[in-house]
Amino acid sequence: MLKNYFKTAWRNLMKNKTFSLINIAGLSIGMAACLLILQYVSFELSFDRFNNDAKDIYRVSNDRYQNGKLIQHGTITYSAIGKAMKTDFPEVVDYARVEPVGTTIITYGLKKNGEQEGIAVEPSFLNMFNYPLLYGQKSTALTDPNSVIFTASAARKIFGVANKDLNTLIGKSVVIQRDSLPYKVTAICEDVPENSHLKFDFMMSYITLYSGPYPWKEADYDFKDSDFWHYVKLKPGTNYKALEAKLPAFSERHFQGNKVSGSDEKFHLQPLLRAHLYSDFEYEIGVTGSSTVVWGMLIIAILTIVIAWVNYINLSTAKSTERAKEVGVRKVSGATRSQLVRQFLTESLLLNVIALAIAIGVVFLVQSPFNNLIKHQLSLSYLFQSGPGGFNITIPLVVLLVGGILISGFYPAFVISSFRPVSVLKGKYSSSKKGILLRKILVVGQFAATVALIIGSFVVYQQIKFINRQSLGYNISQMLIVKPPELTNWDSTFIGRENALMEEMKKIPHVLGVANSNRIAGAELGRNFNVRRANASDETHFTVRFNAVSQDYLNIYEMKLLAGRNFVTTDYNPDWNKLHNLIVNESTIKLLGFKSAREAIGQSIKIGDNRSWDIVGVISDFHQKSLRYAVEPTIFRPAYSPNSPISVKVETTDLTKTMAEIKSKYDSFFPGNLFDYFFLDQKFNEQYSNDLLFGKIFALFSGFAIFISCLGLLGLSLFTTAQRTKEIGVRKVLGASIGNIVLLLSKDFIRLVLIAFIIASPVAWFIMHNWLQDFAYRINISWWVFAASGTLAVIIALATISFQAIKAALSNPVKSLRTE
């Protein structure tokens, strides 16, 4: 019987080639799009799940308040927090502190390797997280100062050995640029999984931070210096919200209001499994994604496959009149309704299996370009992997196939199998009003989703265009950032040598200017928490960002000076206590209560320890970070450390030669150092990577959904035209023009598209309005976006159905009248 079902299903598929092709094309494109998106969504949701105890690990976040105002919402907190929590709360069974070392240079012998990302961690880190050691002892690898663990790939690169020789590296010595001290290799670990929010090439022992020749005492146990990241592990089954409710008392106990740190401290616990997608914190340590992008893509995937299934339902039920006699004959011959249902479900199964096979083939063909788009190496084989590292795609794939069969197959099967054989065989069967109404509802729903996607595409495009066109308040084009030299054998001449290097760089042809700064554009600036006017009371204080810059910084970045002057040579002094001049931005003078930029010039402000600073210049506001964030009050001071990156403004003319000369100058002043650099605009734009990805994905897969909708509309127009062939012939004989015929065949579909537009518009506005709230600077959704989207939807619909309508209108009416 089953064989007969498939045989009959195949014959019907071949008999109706056009409609079968439309159905298969729509389903295969929908499934392929869905499978591609599922890969990405599965990958993003899998972050940190490779850790066996991931569900019990939480990250401590810290909100700092002054005068009731939130001044910092970050993941950094105090070095003592983890230990204090473990002491105070029995629910906390372990804790681990993490301190980023940053991108640094590793020296082995005479070989230097840049771009090595490091973190300082405690021994407990290896117990809480699953970063397995290939060689070395977990219990001792991080217990001693100046110990380091390398990942396998970093070890191969630094030491130039093969996998089989990694065990020989234990006990070898390297120099890390952080403090230019020798570190002993105590272990080699597996490479960090791609779905880990923590990324590193090496782990150094945390104890090194507060012991040795350059001790950072606050890293041991301190409630004043906020510069550390904490993870805590709770007892299995602990309600972390209940523990979080105890943290205000914890804060009061250890900080005594704001007497210890100077701020009101409010701590929170963030589940590790939410750290990647749900991070809106400052000073983020890990790799972050966007839940908006992930869920938005998932919604697009669902809409795409649903539109494909709606096509199948529409075309199957529309074709039901042609299969009425078949059903009548089968019933007269003894077929039961259940047998007919199984027959039509078999056809649905065959169609879906063919579509799925084609979809998988399409995925393999476009996998490489898709990976380039999302910048991850994904594949269907990755999604079939089981275990904590990812979501197994087997279940979604089965759901996709079975759901397609059930959703798109059951309704047509039950409709067609319900025909009464007597009425059918007498030729009295016609489409029911309920069936016609359902098809109209499905077409409206299908195009409502399409119109919503068109509106969303317009809004995303406009917002991305908006943020790309906004002035940052400075110019980062053609700005080369040279990473600071290594501090090996540092002495009092180091700053002088760096100054001399910058002066020599200025003499190079096609170099337009050179400066250095504590932080570059796009980086998180530090904060001063107790800033006030000199004549204000101690209780009146504010928080501002700060950066330390050299004399030419404002000039090479083309920052606009509103009042006062730039820094001059006499503003700089190697003695920190003798620095007293500042340049501030507009937001700072507004915050401090000055009426104008001119009024602020020459006024004094106090920072922290009651030391006075004089405002000598006011600059226009600028965007230190992306336009997701508001402009903040910021001060520049005339100081820099020897660990400051150097900004070099270059012309594009003969850039290769210019780079060679810059490197030559660098090597002459700091021989043996690794010359490492990047272009600032590329680095800065990385902040928009999630938004740009969302825009590209939204446009691409919206296009797929629109194409599938057009296939469905084409199929329905083919069927409708075929059903009205005689009517078209009669109308032409009676004098109807081609335009009249095209209008007759098009108006019902256009009416449905307009209804879809009315339904989709408020829904799309609500969704996109909420998406825009993530940006501090955003567009207003204009009326023309909806007008353009509605017009485009109508044009797409007309273009889809007009070909068949015009063809029918041009046909010979004599032939049309002979069709029945």
Side-chain angles (χ1 to χ4, degrees), residues 397-703:
L397 197 59
V398 171
V399 169
L400 191 67
L401 180 58
V402 175
I405 296 169
L406 296 180
I407 294 173
S408 62
F410 258 116
Y411 179 75
F414 276 100
V415 169
I416 299 172
S417 64
S418 66
F419 297 159
R420 296 178 61 187
V422 175
S423 300
V424 168
L425 294 175
K426 286 182 178 180
K428 296 181 179 180
Y429 176 77
S430 62
S431 297
S432 69
K433 291 182 178 180
K434 290 182 178 179
I436 294 172
L437 178 62
L438 176 64
R439 284 197 293 278
K440 288 182 177 180
I441 291 173
L442 291 176
V443 169
V444 168
Q446 188 180 51
F447 261 85
T450 301
V451 171
L453 290 172
I454 293 173
I455 293 171
S457 297
F458 271 123
V459 173
V460 171
Y461 171 77
Q462 286 295 316
Q463 177 62 19
I464 292 175
K465 182 180 177 183
F466 172 78
I467 60 179
N468 284 333
R469 286 189 173 183
Q470 288 301 298
S471 171
L472 295 173
Y474 51 86
N475 188 355
I476 60 174
S477 64
Q478 301 164 224
M479 191 67 73
L480 179 75
I481 303 298
V482 178
K483 295 186 179 180
E486 189 176 348
L487 302 183
T488 307
N489 300 321
W490 183 85
D491 56 34
S492 58
T493 68
F494 189 94
I495 294 178
R497 281 186 288 149
E498 190 170 8
N499 271 333
L501 168 63
M502 292 193 295
E503 290 302 316
E504 286 298 311
M505 284 181 175
K506 292 176 185 178
K507 299 175 184 178
I508 298 173
H510 306 303
V511 170
L512 302 177
V514 184
N516 66 3
S517 58
N518 180 242
R519 302 285 174 88
I520 61 171
E524 194 90 53
L525 295 181
R527 279 194 173 99
N528 288 128
F529 293 105
N530 190 11
V531 179
R532 59 206 182 279
R533 291 175 67 162
N535 57 357
S537 65
D538 290 345
E539 288 74 26
T540 306
H541 50 76
F542 303 96
T543 297
V544 299
R545 298 281 189 174
F546 70 88
N547 200 1
V549 303
S550 66
Q551 187 174 337
D552 294 324
Y553 185 85
L554 299 186
N555 292 331
I556 70 167
Y557 279 96
E558 300 174 27
M559 304 186 86
K560 185 178 180 182
L561 192 65
L562 299 178
R565 63 171 175 82
N566 193 358
F567 289 129
V568 294
T569 305
T570 55
D571 290 322
Y572 294 84
N573 196 300
D575 185 350
W576 161 260
N577 294 311
K578 292 183 180 180
L579 297 174
H580 58 86
N581 288 339
L582 295 174
I583 292 175
V584 302
N585 67 345
E586 292 174 274
S587 293
T588 303
I589 64 172
K590 291 175 183 176
L591 181 72
L592 296 175
F594 294 110
K595 294 179 181 179
S596 67
R598 289 188 178 277
E599 182 191 354
I601 301 301
Q603 298 296 317
S604 296
I605 63 175
K606 292 184 177 181
I607 302 176
D609 58 1
N610 290 320
R611 201 172 134 208
S612 291
W613 297 75
D614 298 329
I615 299 175
V616 298
V618 178
I619 58 173
S620 294
D621 279 340
F622 61 93
H623 297 278
Q624 173 64 22
K625 297 198 298 180
S626 78
L627 270 70
R628 281 188 173 274
Y629 306 97
V631 168
E632 294 186 90
T634 306
I635 60 176
F636 288 156
R637 61 179 182 236
Y640 59 90
S641 72
N643 197 34
S644 297
I646 301 171
S647 300
V648 185
K649 186 79 169 181
V650 296
E651 291 180 331
T652 54
T653 306
D654 207 357
L655 185 58
T656 302
K657 182 180 179 181
T658 302
M659 293 296 301
E661 291 190 49
I662 292 173
K663 182 180 185 304
S664 176
K665 298 287 187 184
Y666 181 93
D667 291 341
S668 66
F669 280 91
F670 297 97
N673 275 262
L674 185 68
F675 179 67
D676 210 356
Y677 65 91
F678 58 86
F679 282 94
L680 182 57
D681 54 352
Q682 296 174 358
K683 188 75 172 179
F684 189 91
N685 289 333
E686 287 177 4
Q687 299 176 94
Y688 296 115
S689 59
N690 284 325
D691 300 315
L692 292 173
L693 174 64
F694 184 55
K696 292 176 182 177
I697 292 290
F698 203 110
L700 177 63
F701 288 96
S702 293

Side-chain angles (χ1 to χ4, degrees), residues 50 126 130-135 149-156 163 166 187-194 196 198 200-203:
F50 62 88
L126 296 178
N130 288 97
Y131 299 106
L133 300 187
L134 298 173
Y135 304 101
I149 299 173
F150 285 106
T151 63
S153 59
R156 290 194 299 270
N163 276 332
L166 289 174
I188 303 295
C189 70
E190 291 183 1
D191 287 346
V192 178
E194 194 177 2
S196 169
L198 287 173
F200 55 85
D201 299 301
F202 67 90
M203 295 178 277

